[in-house]
Amino acid sequence: MAVEQITDADFAQKLQSNEKVVVKYYADWCGSCRLFTPKFKRLSGDERFDGITFLDVNAEKNPDARHLAGVTSLPFFAVFKNGELLEGVCTSKEEIVTELIQKL
């Protein structure tokens, strides 16, 4: 499954229309965020995570989506189930993101 870029305009709709969602919050200036991009894309294609929607949100340009997950630092990852935030974490370690996604 591909990673979708979304904004505040469609964030709530994506959470409501997809049962399981993982979001990567990033900023253009964030080197760790850029380094994680290919890892996030690879995770989105992992068959263990079939049925999970992967979203990218620019945290600086989308304050509503950022506040919904309580983003304090970047990169930040959050998992949502049935539109509700389950958990979020600031990390650039793939194994921690994998563990987070497995909670869905």
Side-chain angles (χ1 to χ4, degrees):
M1 182 176 279
V3 178
E4 293 180 61
Q5 281 279 346
I6 62 165
T7 65
D8 277 348
D10 51 5
F11 188 72
Q13 186 274 330
K14 284 290 184 185
L15 293 183
Q16 294 304 318
S17 62
N18 295 284
E19 180 186 359
K20 299 175 182 178
V21 177
V22 58
V23 182
K24 182 186 87 181
Y25 294 90
Y26 71 95
D28 293 333
W29 51 263
C30 173
S32 295
C33 300
R34 284 195 302 271
L35 288 173
F36 204 89
T37 296
K39 296 174 188 173
F40 198 57
K41 184 175 180 179
R42 187 175 57 248
L43 288 170
S44 75
D46 189 320
E47 64 185 26
R48 292 177 297 167
F49 304 131
D50 284 350
I52 297 175
T53 301
F54 284 71
L55 303 177
D56 259 346
V57 172
N58 185 321
E60 289 188 315
K61 296 179 180 175
N62 299 286
D64 294 341
R66 182 180 71 231
H67 290 299
L68 194 59
V71 177
T72 55
S73 326
L74 299 171
F76 190 92
F77 298 86
V79 288
F80 294 84
K81 188 168 186 178
N82 296 320
E84 298 294 323
L85 175 66
L86 291 183
E87 190 172 330
V89 64
C90 175
T91 186
S92 57
K93 295 187 178 193
E94 186 172 346
E95 60 270 17
I96 292 175
V97 175
T98 299
E99 289 174 15
L100 180 69
I101 297 169
Q102 288 173 330
K103 293 178 179 179
L104 284 170

